Amino acid sequence: MAIIKNVTELDFDQIKSNLKVFLSSQDKFNDYDFDGSGLNVLLDVLAYNTQYNALLAHMATNESFLDSAQLRQNVVSHAKSLGYLPKSRRCSSANLQLVVTGDAEGAFDIQIPRWSAFSSIIGNKVYNFITEDSYTSKRDTNNQYTFNSIIVKEGKVKTVSYRVTGESSQKFAISDSTIDTSTLDIKIRDSLTASEYVSYTHYKDISEINTQSKVYFIQENSNGMYEFYFGDGILGYKPTVGQVVEISYISTNGIEGNGAKTFSSQISVGGYTSISIQNNSLVSSNNGTEKEDINSIKYNAPKLFSAQNRAVTAEDYVSILKAEFDFIEDISIWGGETASPPVYGKVFMSIKPIYGYSLSLDAKNTVNNFLTRKNVGSITTEILDPDYTFISMDVSFKYNSNETNLSQDQLESGVRAAIISYNDNELEKFDGVLRFSNLLNKIDNVDQGILNTAITLKMHKHIIPSVNQQVNYLLKFSAPLYRSTSIETVITSSQFTYNGETAQLYDTLIVGDVTKRKVFIKSAFSNLILNPNAGYTYPDKGIVELNAITFQSVDEIMVFCDPNSNDIAPKFNQLVSIEYDNTPGINITSEEDTIAMLGSTAAGTYTTFSRH
């Protein structure tokens, strides 16, 4: 009996062709004209039906595995089996200082209640920020009440209530895609009119739950909404029939709330309306994120599962921290035994937040408190701020105008865009090595008219001076400094005020010592040496050390140096970033390549780019 030999085809035309081959092998259809008969329609139907079934089987198989699933509900379901909860939106937050001016007859202390409202304008839109906790301050001798650290989150409070029915599988869904699940506040009352309530918390460790634990569990359902449920009387306390569940949470705009700088109060505090608000954060409101997408779920769920809710390896720390905290963009972890000098029994880490340069003190404390439950034995953790080495550069390239449709300005704009793209994609992360040849290649590939490129790199660091205070400053660059054996200076700085004069930093050779150079401060105008012993540079270590310096400037100071290599590789908590928005930034010049355009007749006036 004839059979269809190829049953793996998914293409419609090939399926139909296979059906024709099969039918033509039958005695009754030996010389049949399939294309010119009514049977052609039936073959189309059979081919379409076969294709649909094959595609359905193919998709069903793909959706059965986390790696290949494409539908969010299936990805979430697979992640759930690994104990992973996809992250919801997260509120943007800011740290504010409030000073309320009262009077001598005022109360001894006043309070900012929970859910107090503030507002800020981002672009042309007004955003609401609210307090998740209450804050209290005492009146000082100036009749003022100072609230030093008020955490506000972008969004508005929503409250919903449910009644416990006693169903064993009862789940309480929150039909709001803008929820920040980290702000959930769940209380249970005996009735709608009852004033007393019991607060329930999200479970953290299944081993710590017993029959009386007042905890709730949360998951994302097939509709993409979050739902929660309570214990069954064995793992967690089971509420009784008729009780009322009251849920409060913050509904947020997520990433839209980032960027708020100035705030105003929408309330009176203690009856007073004279309120001064200052943003304590070095940056505007930040850490607002969107709901976790399926690619992130696929990446994080297996890693969290492999960590098994404990921190042993560096990968464990990365997995559990990224799963728990949404404000983390990148993490570097290293053991204390690799530090200099070694510190045994300690794990060091540096966290780069999604917004801003470093974590706030509150965020660091939150991370450390979380890790105390995950660390093995007596291991302790210490969080170090990311240490940025900024790069500025002079870029020169030659081009053949006969080989491009772009103008000179357009070519230079394209080169700038390529450098910024390289910074965004390759740098500003803890394993982000500036590979000089790769950067050159990116620039050369901007347009076929670009023939060659030359780049001069400079590293620099920012000093935030402690004005009129004698302070030591230690600058660690991400690469060794250019090691000169002459009296030429290796480091320079932007101008600052020192002893009443405009001055700059320089360094010079120490005769007989090749490991370090002496730093001095010189007047920018008279060239007088104002401080001959300001510190030392250690070129091989990439260190600039300033000893007991009293700056009188309030503006930040930039310290520049040449790297010993054009390849710059960060270590531990170091990050490399091309600072293209600020001075000195990226300076780009271009020239027409006269030899490429005119041949050897232009060689007599042809010039090449200097290395210095």
Side-chain angles (χ1 to χ4, degrees):
M1 182 179 68
I3 60 172
I4 299 177
K5 295 182 178 179
N6 193 340
V7 294
T8 61
E9 297 291 349
L10 293 177
D11 180 70
F12 169 82
D13 290 330
Q14 190 60 51
I15 292 172
K16 185 175 180 182
S17 176
N18 291 342
L19 289 171
K20 288 180 182 180
V21 171
F22 168 72
L23 290 175
S24 63
S25 66
Q26 308 297 311
D27 294 338
K28 294 182 180 181
F29 296 100
N30 268 339
D31 301 316
Y32 204 83
D33 182 7
F34 295 101
D35 295 327
S37 67
L39 193 57
N40 187 55
V41 177
L42 295 179
L43 287 175
D44 284 343
V45 173
L46 281 171
Y48 276 125
N49 185 68
T50 303
Q51 186 183 38
Y52 289 156
N53 286 333
L55 183 61
L56 179 62
H58 185 69
M59 291 181 62
T61 302
N62 282 346
E63 294 299 316
S64 299
F65 301 95
L66 178 62
D67 285 344
S68 55
Q70 298 299 312
L71 298 178
R72 182 179 180 92
Q73 64 186 43
N74 293 330
V75 172
V76 169
S77 178
H78 293 310
K80 179 183 175 182
S81 67
L82 299 177
Y84 185 78
L85 174 66
K87 293 183 282 290
S88 69
R89 278 188 179 185
R90 289 293 187 260
C91 301
S92 178
S93 61
N95 188 321
L96 307 181
Q97 181 191 71
L98 269 70
V99 178
V100 180
T101 301
D103 54 56
E105 306 300 323
F108 176 71
D109 57 40
I110 59 175
Q111 185 181 72
I112 297 177
R114 188 185 189 195
W115 306 137
S116 295
F118 298 82
S119 63
S120 181
I121 298 176
I122 306 173
N124 296 319
K125 185 176 179 181
V126 177
Y127 289 84
N128 294 319
F129 287 77
I130 54 179
T131 58
E132 200 176 5
D133 299 302
S134 60
Y135 300 87
T136 302
S137 176
K138 294 181 173 58
R139 189 181 72 225
D140 61 20
T141 55
N142 296 320
N143 296 323
Q144 291 184 328
Y145 305 87
T146 300
F147 299 84
N148 285 314
S149 184
I150 307 297
I151 306 299
V152 293
K153 294 186 174 183
E154 186 277 323
K156 57 184 178 181
V157 181
K158 291 186 177 181
T159 302
V160 292
S161 298
Y162 298 92
R163 189 177 294 277
V164 179
T165 64
E167 297 177 19
S168 59
S169 59
Q170 185 179 13
K171 294 181 174 60
F172 306 88
I174 304 174
S175 300
D176 188 345
S177 60
T178 65
I179 184 176
D180 179 349
T181 57
S182 69
T183 65
L184 271 174
D185 182 24
I186 297 180
K187 302 181 177 71
I188 292 186
R189 305 177 189 272
D190 288 336
S191 67
L192 285 172
T193 58
S195 58
E196 295 184 354
Y197 60 83
V198 176
S199 292
Y200 280 64
T201 59
H202 183 220
Y203 94 100
K204 294 296 183 183
D205 191 339
I206 201 75
S207 64
E208 298 177 358
I209 298 177
N210 56 39
T211 59
Q212 298 300 312
S213 298
K214 304 300 191 296
V215 296
Y216 66 87
F217 305 85
I218 189 169
Q219 64 186 20
E220 183 179 327
N221 63 25
S222 59
N223 296 321
M225 300 300 174
Y226 289 93
E227 60 185 17
F228 66 92
Y229 53 97
F230 299 101
D232 59 358
I234 299 174
L235 285 176
Y237 182 78
K238 183 179 181 179
T240 58
V241 177
Q243 287 188 313
V244 176
V245 181
E246 182 180 286
I247 310 142
S248 299
Y249 63 90
I250 297 179
S251 171
T252 179
N253 290 291
I255 197 171
E256 285 185 27
N258 295 325
K261 296 180 180 179
T262 58
F263 294 82
S264 58
S265 175
Q266 297 182 10
I267 60 167
S268 64
V269 179
Y272 300 110
T273 57
S274 177
I275 303 173
S276 171
I277 303 177
Q278 180 179 338
N279 189 349
N280 283 335
S281 305
L282 295 177
V283 294
S284 51
S285 63
N286 54 61
N287 296 334
T289 62
E290 293 303 304
K291 188 176 182 179
E292 187 174 13
D293 60 34
I294 62 173
N295 289 329
S296 177
I297 297 171
K298 288 181 180 182
Y299 180 82
N300 288 317
K303 288 180 170 51
L304 182 67
F305 179 74
S306 66
Q308 294 294 299
N309 206 32
R310 83 286 186 263
V312 177
T313 68
E315 189 66 25
D316 291 342
Y317 279 96
V318 173
S319 298
I320 62 177
L321 288 175
K322 282 194 170 183
E324 180 71 16
F325 302 105
D326 307 288
F327 51 74
I328 295 175
E329 180 175 338
D330 197 17
I331 310 176
S332 176
I333 310 284
W334 65 99
E337 70 279 1
T338 64
S340 180
V343 183
Y344 298 101
K346 179 172 283 191
V347 172
F348 292 95
M349 67 181 63
S350 185
I351 298 176
K352 180 181 184 292
I354 294 176
Y355 298 97
Y357 288 113
S358 59
L359 294 183
S360 65
L361 180 59
D362 289 334
K364 289 179 183 177
N365 290 336
T366 300
V367 172
N368 273 325
N369 291 337
F370 170 75
L371 288 175
T372 56
R373 304 191 303 271
K374 310 296 181 182
N375 290 329
V376 175
S378 59
I379 297 295
T380 58
T381 56
E382 181 176 342
I383 302 175
L384 303 179
D385 287 335
D387 187 9
Y388 285 82
T389 293
F390 296 101
I391 305 297
S392 56
M393 59 181 66
D394 294 324
V395 181
S396 304
F397 66 90
K398 288 186 180 288
Y399 68 97
N400 185 348
S401 58
N402 295 329
E403 296 292 331
T404 180
N405 294 322
L406 301 180
S407 67
Q408 184 174 7
D409 287 343
Q410 288 173 325
L411 286 172
E412 291 181 359
S413 296
V415 168
R416 176 177 291 275
I419 295 172
I420 293 173
S421 175
Y422 181 83
N423 178 73
D424 293 342
N425 295 324
E426 304 296 334
L427 305 181
E428 295 188 345
K429 47 190 176 183
F430 292 109
D431 60 352
V433 178
L434 194 158
R435 306 180 193 276
F436 191 67
S437 61
N438 289 352
L439 178 58
L440 287 173
N441 187 53
K442 296 287 186 185
I443 295 173
D444 288 344
N445 288 333
V446 167
D447 187 87
Q448 62 182 4
I450 296 178
L451 301 179
N452 63 286
T453 306
I455 301 178
T456 302
L457 298 178
K458 270 196 176 297
M459 301 188 295
H460 65 273
K461 279 187 165 291
H462 297 194
I463 294 178
I464 307 298
S466 298
V467 182
N468 295 323
Q469 297 182 42
Q470 195 175 75
V471 176
N472 298 330
Y473 298 90
L474 182 65
L475 310 179
K476 295 182 178 181
F477 289 86
S478 295
L481 314 184
Y482 166 61
R483 183 172 177 175
S484 174
T485 56
S486 69
I487 61 172
E488 66 176 325
T489 188
V490 169
I491 70 163
T492 58
S493 75
S494 57
Q495 294 182 349
F496 54 87
T497 303
Y498 182 82
N499 285 349
E501 292 198 44
T502 302
Q504 289 178 276
L505 292 170
Y506 297 92
D507 75 340
T508 189
L509 185 71
I510 299 177
V511 178
D513 191 344
V514 297
T515 63
K516 63 183 180 181
R517 297 166 61 88
K518 183 178 291 187
V519 178
F520 61 93
I521 300 176
K522 185 171 70 171
S523 170
F525 300 114
S526 67
N527 285 329
L528 292 175
I529 304 297
L530 304 178
N531 183 344
N533 299 300
Y536 296 95
T537 60
Y538 300 86
D540 292 343
K541 297 179 180 180
I543 290 176
V544 177
E545 182 182 79
L546 304 178
N547 299 323
I549 304 299
T550 304
F551 291 112
Q552 295 169 317
S553 302
V554 296
D555 296 331
E556 70 176 14
I557 301 162
M558 288 189 285
V559 178
F560 301 93
C561 66
D562 295 328
N564 193 51
S565 168
N566 283 327
D567 291 331
I568 300 175
K571 302 176 182 64
F572 300 125
N573 65 324
Q574 295 176 336
L575 291 165
V576 176
S577 176
I578 299 174
E579 195 169 45
Y580 47 82
D581 286 334
N582 299 324
T583 303
I586 305 171
N587 297 311
I588 300 175
T589 57
S590 59
E591 298 177 4
E592 286 190 311
D593 193 299
T594 54
I595 289 182
M597 297 172 62
L598 303 174
S600 60
T601 58
T605 58
Y606 188 85
T607 58
T608 57
F609 298 123
S610 171
R611 291 177 55 234
H612 305 287

